[in-house]
Amino acid sequence: MPTPERFVSLVVQKYGGSSVADAESIKRVARRIVGTKQSGVEVAVVVSAMGDTTDDLLDLAQQVSPSPAGREMDMLLTAGERISMALLAMAIYDQGEEARSYTGSQAGMLTTSSHGRAQIIDVTPGRLRTALDENAIPVLAGFQGVSPDTKDVTTLGRGGSDTTAVALAAALGADVCEIYTDVDGVFTSDPRSVPKASKLTAVTYEEMLELAAAGAKVLHIRCVEYARRQNLPIHVRSSFSDREGTWVLSSEAVAELVERGEMEEPIISGVAHDLTEAKLTVVGVPDKPGEAAEIFEVISTVGANLDMIVQNVSTDGRTDITLTLSGSDADAAMAALREAQPAIGFTDILFDPGIAKVSLVGAGMRRHPGVSATFFRALAEAGINVEMISTSEIRISVVCRAEDAPRATAAVHSAFGLDSDETAIVYAGTGR
Ligand code: ASP
Ligand code: MG
């Protein structure tokens, strides 16, 4: 793989919360940044809130108000990144380089106005470009922006600093976006629950998107979408070691690595599970044209994030529709459906929060027969009951009981020969 030193003139480095969890870590990261700069590479930095700050702020908000206003929530949460950006800039000064910290709004991160899930619509990084031109290191607060419509501060959703970093890298024309985390790269499963997970040399944008959607927490999904659109290489690596991490690249670039013998042709890139979804069944839906449209229109009014959708065989002119959705959207979706129940005419809604989704992802599935058979056999032998199934071209997912998810994941990981001889190192972080 082309190492950064070989082709990079401008790099954006993003440091996650566990990499800047305390004063010592902030100084260590500052040394790393200054080292990069002094090796002759222009560097701009994006930083997350220290350690579990965001979760702590969320907990605190809950204690003050059960359903805080989105605007105030974003004001609160963006404070986390303001703390780390200023501290990091100070530490960089002490290492002998000039640094300037910026909030998302100061740095021209323009977003939609939806609080807690804003999308970046434009980046106008003039001030950061000027800082670079004046030989200073810009340090940008991750996960936040400002809406040009409402003039209010927004956040991009949990884990959004990755997206900030890729958007900034694209806007500055960086050669690579380095995402620093507390493990050595992207693994075939979360090393926190599968210690025998193997590190991937490279993975395609498409596979990474599927992994992120399947619950792999290593990269924010929008960040991967953004990088794919811009064909921007991402290098996921640890801020605690100097090891080469995992490259996230186009499928052409990955094929080139395979051709050059720098990695084996991958069939499966990973197994992930997601505990954040809930299952909702709309029972006794009249089996006639337009009913599904009405149901999904109602759900869409609350902006719920849907995943799987299954309609059962109908009996006596009625059918059931089961769907999975983000657990945090479930209450709102159910309330909207109950209100529409008399008009739509279904008989009941069943709610099941105790589910997990277990997914197998790999571009090689397209070419290799028997992948589904191995997957379902592994689940069967682990005694896992499958409640729903859905697939894409490069993914198979099942819904099972939440408590079975770790066992299911480990069983599938072993069945595909993904277990490594080494134990993956988790350097820091609570994985919260
Ligand atoms: N601090 C935010 C979070 O914990 C954003 C991020 O870390 O990317 O979700
Ligand atoms: Mg974080």
Side-chain angles (χ1 to χ4, degrees), residues 200 202-208 210-211 249-252 254-255 263 265-270 360-369 371 392-396:
L200 299 167
V203 62
T204 65
Y205 296 123
E206 290 72 25
E207 289 169 303
M208 200 61 237
E210 291 279 13
L211 283 169
L249 303 165
S250 67
S251 47
E252 293 77 18
V254 171
M263 62 183 277
E265 176 166 21
I267 299 172
I268 298 303
S269 53
L360 177 72
V361 174
M365 267 182 215
R366 291 198 187 102
R367 294 179 308 276
H368 290 79
V371 169
S392 83
E393 228 187 315
I394 61 167
R395 176 185 49 80
I396 313 173

Side-chain angles (χ1 to χ4, degrees), residues 295-318:
I295 287 173
F296 291 106
E297 271 158 20
V298 167
I299 296 174
S300 79
T301 58
V302 300
N305 215 341
L306 298 187
D307 187 8
M308 300 185 193
I309 301 171
V310 174
Q311 176 175 318
N312 293 349
V313 185
S314 68
T315 43
D316 304 328
R318 288 187 179 263

Side-chain angles (χ1 to χ4, degrees), residues 39-318:
S39 73
V41 177
E42 276 193 307
V43 50
V45 177
V46 172
V47 71
S48 289
M50 294 170 70
D52 289 334
T53 302
T54 307
D55 290 291
D56 296 342
L57 290 173
L58 279 166
D59 290 349
L60 194 56
Q62 276 301 314
Q63 290 167 39
V64 171
S65 159
S67 56
R71 181 184 185 281
E72 303 315 322
M73 204 61 207
D74 277 354
M75 273 303 207
L76 178 71
L77 295 185
T78 50
E81 271 73 10
R82 269 181 97 127
I83 295 172
S84 49
M85 74 180 193
L87 291 171
L88 183 56
M90 293 173 196
I92 293 174
Y93 266 104
D94 281 352
Q95 297 294 321
E97 292 289 341
E98 189 189 338
R100 295 178 198 165
S101 64
Y102 299 93
T103 64
S105 128
Q106 286 177 311
M109 281 288 158
L110 306 180
T111 72
T112 57
S113 58
S114 46
H115 289 293
R117 56 170 87 178
Q119 307 219 24
I120 296 173
I121 48 183
D122 199 8
V123 185
T124 53
R127 294 188 73 185
L128 275 64
R129 187 62 260 177
T130 305
L132 286 166
D133 292 343
E134 293 174 2
N135 208 24
I137 299 173
V139 180
L140 168 59
F143 155 77
Q144 54 181 270
V146 65
S147 157
D149 296 340
T150 60
K151 309 276 184 282
D152 281 328
V153 162
T154 54
T155 62
L156 309 180
R158 298 307 308 273
S161 300
D162 295 345
T163 305
T164 306
V166 167
L168 179 64
L172 289 174
D175 304 289
V176 57
C177 181
E178 293 184 337
I179 306 268
Y180 285 92
T181 180
D182 49 14
V183 290
D184 278 316
V186 180
F187 284 75
T188 48
S189 203
D190 184 348
R192 288 192 164 81
S193 52
V194 182
K196 292 279 170 214
S198 315
K199 191 181 77 184
L200 299 167
T201 303
V203 62
T204 65
Y205 296 123
E206 290 72 25
E207 289 169 303
M208 200 61 237
L209 279 174
E210 291 279 13
L211 283 169
K217 290 193 259 323
V218 58
L219 286 180
H220 196 232
I221 192 159
R222 290 228 195 92
C223 129
V224 187
E225 282 168 354
Y226 215 106
R228 175 169 66 167
R229 272 203 303 279
Q230 310 280 340
N231 197 16
L232 180 86
I234 301 179
H235 187 190
V236 182
R237 56 194 308 196
S238 164
S239 68
F240 299 84
S241 84
D242 282 321
R243 295 189 194 185
E244 178 91 359
T246 301
W247 289 84
V248 187
L249 303 165
S250 67
S251 47
E252 293 77 18
V254 171
E256 219 180 287
L257 290 180
V258 172
E259 214 160 278
R260 291 212 304 259
E262 295 192 30
M263 62 183 277
E264 269 179 56
E265 176 166 21
I267 299 172
I268 298 303
S269 53
V271 191
H273 67 255
D274 186 348
L275 298 171
T276 65
E277 292 188 1
K279 187 167 87 172
L280 214 152
T281 303
V282 188
V283 182
V285 181
D287 192 6
K288 58 181 203 303
E291 292 297 314
E294 279 184 41
I295 287 173
F296 291 106
E297 271 158 20
V298 167
I299 296 174
S300 79
T301 58
V302 300
N305 215 341
L306 298 187
D307 187 8
M308 300 185 193
I309 301 171
V310 174
Q311 176 175 318
N312 293 349
V313 185
S314 68
T315 43
D316 304 328
R318 288 187 179 263

